[in-house]
Amino acid sequence: MLWAIDVVTAVLLILVPYASELNPVTVFFYVEFGIPGVVFVGCVYAAIVVVIGNVLPHPSDLAFVAVIVALYLFFVFNNLLVLLFDQSIWTLGAVGLSSGCRRAPPQSRS
């Protein structure tokens, strides 16, 4: 399911005029093959995670795969934020921090 969300967001990031896909591999495959290229790259990324998960049986290796999947989840979430709000998680966090840290302007004593 996570892979499907990633592929859909990658395709939408290519198609919508207000956002852009940042992954140069995805952009290259889109330029060369169009939307099927984006889907292909998504399949390759998912296959890499599955192959690594099957090759590394040790518990610490499974932790490595869990970290990779968590990063993948983070990037998918970031893509969704870009599509919905035209801002990445970094800019939304910076805006939230800066607005929460503002002080009220000093009032004049007249």
Side-chain angles (χ1 to χ4, degrees):
M1 184 162 178
L2 183 61
W3 171 82
I5 293 170
D6 181 47
V7 168
V8 169
T9 57
V11 168
L12 291 175
L13 283 172
I14 298 272
L15 296 178
V16 297
Y18 60 84
S20 61
E21 173 65 52
L22 298 177
N23 185 336
V25 175
T26 304
V27 172
F28 172 78
F29 273 83
Y30 173 72
V31 169
E32 294 297 318
F33 306 107
I35 299 298
V38 175
V39 174
F40 174 74
V41 170
C43 290
V44 169
Y45 291 152
I48 289 170
V49 171
V50 169
V51 167
I52 290 174
N54 287 327
V55 171
L56 304 174
H58 192 270
S60 65
D61 297 333
L62 293 176
F64 170 77
V65 172
V67 168
I68 296 301
V69 170
L71 286 171
Y72 192 73
L73 180 63
F74 172 79
F75 292 130
V76 168
F77 180 69
N78 186 58
N79 286 351
L80 287 173
L81 288 177
V82 170
L83 285 171
L84 294 174
F85 304 111
D86 192 22
Q87 293 183 353
S88 71
I89 197 166
W90 305 114
T91 56
L92 285 173
V95 168
L97 287 174
S98 66
S99 65
C101 296
R102 289 188 184 157
R103 295 182 183 175
Q107 297 179 1
S108 63
R109 296 181 188 184
S110 325

